[in-house]
Amino acid sequence: MSDVAVSSPPDAAQRASKSSFYTAMRILPKAEREAMFEIYSFCRAVDDIADDGGPRPERAEQLNVWRTDIDALYAGTTPPAHLAALAEAIRAFDLQREDFHAVIDGMDMDVAADIQAPDFATLDLYCDRVASAVGRLSVNVFGVPRAHGRDLAHHLGRAFQLTNILRDVDEDAEIDRLYLPREALEAAGIHSTSPKEVVADPALGAACQPVIEKAKAHFATAYEVMALCPRVSVKAPRIMGIGYHGILDNLIARGFAAPRKRVSVSKLRLLLAIVRYGFL
């Protein structure tokens, strides 16, 4: 275990309460719920490092500490107190080390340099690391059959992350990041990759359209995969999907002309999803 201290919240449930997915996590049985809180807490911790804004070498070292600590959890040594619950989740639900490493690698992409108009392939790799890898951890906790779990994580994770990119385009530009793919910008007639210039361009909506279509396709395939699974195993991802699909629908309805009002999860839509799917 590394000698460099990595702070982790004393209460993973409290940290998870700030997540858009908290309501869906709350409906899970106790062991599954607590495991999801630990996964979210890990993701939040490494994401905070990526978004901290401090010197890049220091943030890269903090991520390396997390890599070392994750490796130690799989080495059979006694975990430190702040990772004991995560270690228990790993044992109970057969969580894979490479998925934790993938999440860290995704955060490292943000630390290495401010991402600005990546090509589609790089964007897809980023989405796999920061979202679908989280999905691969989560489907084990949910009990999704292995035959379908990776496909569900692949498509639902990408749907969520692409929706986040569309929702957060202005906030990302403020910290000099732009996740819209270069090919989509060029097809829309936008030749700048400067985040603030792109979000001010009247053609922003056209540049967002290919990302919208990809997100819709991933949602559609994720729902097809969920239909193949036992209903109880996908009640949480289904509720999460309905909530996030609502964000995408609201973004489409709002459009991308300035000024843009921030879109969030519809509480009513989420409540209806819980009533329908949360008590199987």
Side-chain angles (χ1 to χ4, degrees):
M1 190 66 61
S2 170
D3 292 332
V4 180
V6 175
S7 61
S8 184
D11 186 352
Q14 182 180 8
R15 170 165 271 191
S17 68
K18 299 177 182 179
S19 167
S20 301
F21 299 141
Y22 180 68
T23 303
M25 289 188 281
R26 286 285 299 168
I27 67 170
L28 294 168
K30 184 175 186 293
E32 287 84 349
R33 180 172 69 246
E34 291 180 354
M36 285 303 302
F37 288 165
E38 292 302 323
I39 291 170
Y40 178 82
S41 184
F42 158 77
C43 293
R44 186 72 265 163
V46 294
D47 186 66
D48 285 347
I49 293 170
D51 290 346
D52 178 61
R56 294 187 191 277
E58 291 181 13
R59 287 186 285 155
E61 176 56 27
Q62 288 178 298
L63 291 177
N64 280 332
V65 170
W66 269 107
R67 288 189 183 93
T68 300
D69 285 351
I70 290 296
D71 285 343
L73 294 182
Y74 287 86
T77 57
T78 301
H82 74 282
L83 292 179
L86 180 59
E88 176 56 32
I90 288 170
R91 288 192 297 270
F93 297 101
D94 192 27
L95 307 182
Q96 300 300 298
R97 172 167 50 183
E98 57 263 30
D99 293 325
F100 286 105
H101 275 281
V103 176
I104 297 170
D105 290 344
M107 302 307 166
D108 209 11
M109 291 174 73
D110 279 319
V111 169
D114 290 322
I115 295 177
Q116 295 181 353
D119 58 33
F120 270 122
T122 302
L123 176 62
D124 190 65
L125 175 63
Y126 180 79
C127 290
D128 183 79
R129 288 174 169 176
V130 303
S132 293
V134 181
R136 292 193 290 272
L137 294 168
S138 302
V139 293
N140 275 22
V141 176
F142 298 147
V144 178
R146 289 192 180 273
H148 304 301
R150 291 187 70 86
D151 281 346
L152 179 57
H154 175 97
H155 292 289
L156 202 57
R158 282 162 167 78
F160 289 167
Q161 190 60 31
L162 293 174
T163 299
N164 280 338
I165 287 168
L166 293 164
R167 180 193 63 189
D168 298 339
V169 65
D170 290 303
E171 289 84 350
D172 288 335
E174 287 299 318
I175 57 173
D176 217 26
R177 293 177 183 171
L178 176 68
Y179 297 95
L180 296 177
R182 183 176 297 112
E183 295 94 329
L185 297 177
E186 292 174 353
I190 301 175
H191 302 293
S192 173
T193 59
S194 164
K196 291 183 179 179
E197 289 181 11
V198 171
V199 299
D201 196 294
L204 176 64
C208 290
Q209 194 58 41
V211 180
I212 290 171
E213 295 306 318
K214 283 183 176 290
K216 288 165 67 174
H218 283 303
F219 273 121
T221 304
Y223 295 146
E224 291 173 1
V225 174
M226 282 190 270
L228 301 173
C229 301
R231 292 185 68 195
V232 69
S233 71
V234 293
K235 64 180 182 179
R238 192 179 293 278
I239 291 167
M240 294 174 181
I242 290 171
Y244 249 73
H245 206 159
I247 295 176
L248 181 63
D249 289 342
N250 289 339
L251 286 167
I252 294 169
R254 183 206 65 183
F256 289 87
R260 291 175 285 274
K261 182 180 179 181
R262 183 170 175 80
V263 169
S264 59
V265 175
S266 166
K267 292 182 179 179
L268 177 59
R269 183 168 179 155
L270 202 56
L271 177 60
L272 292 174
I274 292 169
V275 169
R276 182 175 181 183
Y277 298 108
F279 303 100
L280 301 176

